[in-house]
Amino acid sequence: MILDETKILKVSPDLSGDGDIEKLQFAAEIIRKGGLVAFPTETVYGLGANALDEKAVKSIFTAKGRAQDNPLIVHVADSKDIDNYAFAEGNEKADILKSQMPAPLTIILPKRDVIPLTVTAGLDNVALRVPQNIIARKLIELSGLPISAPSANLSGKPSPTKAWHVIADMTGRADVIIDGGDCAVGLESTVVSLCYDVPRLLRPGGFTYERLCEVLGKVDISDAVLEQLKEGQRPESPGMKYKHYAPDVSVVLVKGNAQKVRTFIIEKYKSENCGIICFDEDIDQRSSRILNMGSRNNEDEYAEKMFDALRLTDTVEGIDTVYAVLPETTDGISLAIYNRMLRAAAFNIIEL
């Protein structure tokens, strides 16, 4: 930190409030001076530093308690800026995905030397994205710099989608926390690598696999999306670690036919002092131990609520286990839900 204490700045989501731009100018100056600023995006809150300042980037890892082998994403204000930090010229796939930005989408390309290896965890490729969130883009624009930003949480904990999540984790660690309201998507960006002959999905998100295929054609899915990294395999993207996004309580995933799932969790709720993360249709009773994720017909709501629900399990007194119901398929946003929940549960899953 370069400030004596964390400064919390509340701004309106559309930057229409009095003094909003001045607050972002202050935060941008902190970025330029080598400090840390937590800011909202459409996906989750990020913990940002000047991506060209190796010392500032290292302070991100220290603040989060993050392993140095876990690469960071570089955020830029406009897709044309991607060419300043990565080799994208003549890459038709890159041009197609740049045309889709701003979006909850990250592309990986060979990096230029201006990007320190600290950002990429020693890899020769860099992950870049243009956030949809107007606060994030304005902060980047005002700083005049690319901003490296992983999620603004303590490493391994559920990602922050609300300002209070960030305040709980990053007070005393970040110089500035920008409170810009709740994140709309609720899951980190989709990460696709363009460093292979066929584009490869490394982390699913709000920009779905199906949409990627629509714009790119064939897209491979990394084995690490729904499986553990192999022994000695280096993560190419954030979010590929074995355990991630985890609350303090133990998470057990429940997958299967809706009726079987309903019977199972009702029995667990009655017989154990456990928490339940489930769809509205799964259980009629309401209590502090039941965290509802919306209807089975609206998995976007599940995605938006997921990290908040995982955090809230640690506030429920007396429980040490939470049973979390998974969607029945991995279509659309459900692939991203599976990916995050598998890591939150350290791949502890009951298939009915």
Side-chain angles (χ1 to χ4, degrees), residues 150-166:
S151 53
N153 58 303
L154 294 173
S155 188
K157 295 299 180 185
S159 297
T161 56
K162 299 176 182 289
W164 76 262
H165 300 164
V166 186

Side-chain angles (χ1 to χ4, degrees), residues 19-225:
D20 283 352
I21 299 301
E22 289 79 2
K23 291 174 184 177
L24 291 191
Q25 287 172 332
F26 174 83
E29 181 64 21
I30 294 297
I31 292 287
R32 287 194 293 272
K33 289 180 176 179
L36 295 180
V37 175
F39 60 95
T41 77
E42 74 280 12
T43 56
V44 300
Y45 273 78
L47 180 64
N50 176 3
L52 308 182
D53 181 340
E54 189 167 9
K55 182 179 177 182
V57 172
K58 286 180 177 178
S59 70
I60 294 175
F61 290 91
T62 301
K64 282 177 61 71
R66 183 184 177 99
Q68 296 281 337
D69 67 347
N70 205 356
L72 306 178
I73 292 172
V74 176
H75 296 64
V76 295
D78 192 285
S79 61
K80 69 179 185 295
D81 298 330
I82 287 174
D83 296 64
N84 296 330
Y85 309 110
F87 292 99
E89 299 90 341
N91 188 323
E92 180 185 356
K93 304 292 187 185
D95 289 340
I96 291 171
L97 291 185
K98 283 161 61 179
S99 74
Q100 300 293 307
M101 297 177 179
L105 173 66
T106 295
I107 60 174
I108 295 180
L109 292 161
K111 81 177 190 69
R112 294 187 183 274
D113 289 342
V114 68
I115 297 292
L117 287 170
T118 309
V119 172
T120 64
L123 300 172
D124 293 328
N125 307 317
V126 62
L128 294 133
R129 92 176 191 95
V130 183
Q132 282 179 325
N133 184 285
I134 188 174
I135 298 170
R137 287 208 312 281
K138 193 65 177 178
L139 174 66
I140 300 165
E141 177 189 323
L142 291 172
S143 73
L145 294 163
I147 295 180
S148 286
S151 53
N153 58 303
L154 294 173
S155 188
K157 295 299 180 185
S159 297
T161 56
K162 299 176 182 289
W164 76 262
H165 300 164
V166 186
I167 292 168
D169 281 11
M170 288 294 129
T171 298
R173 296 173 180 267
D175 295 287
V176 174
I177 296 173
I178 300 171
D179 177 355
D182 296 351
C183 300
V185 177
L187 292 170
E188 298 89 348
S189 61
T190 299
V191 179
V192 59
S193 176
L194 301 180
C195 299
Y196 297 91
D197 292 338
V198 176
R200 183 172 298 180
L201 177 66
L202 301 182
R203 183 180 73 184
F207 199 102
T208 65
Y209 173 71
E210 289 83 358
R211 187 174 171 192
L212 279 175
C213 292
E214 284 178 14
V215 298
L216 292 180
K218 181 176 173 55
V219 178
D220 290 338
I221 300 179
S222 169
D223 291 342
V225 167

Side-chain angles (χ1 to χ4, degrees), residues 319-338:
I319 69 169
D320 56 15
T321 301
V322 59
Y323 293 94
V325 176
L326 287 172
E328 290 188 68
T329 74
T330 54
D331 297 336
I333 195 70
S334 292
L335 181 62
I337 293 170
Y338 267 73

Side-chain angles (χ1 to χ4, degrees), residues 278-284 286 292-296 301:
C278 64
F279 292 102
D280 291 348
E281 297 90 343
D282 292 331
I283 195 165
D284 296 327
R286 298 291 180 262
N292 290 94
M293 309 303 287
S295 171
R296 283 182 175 272
E301 185 175 358

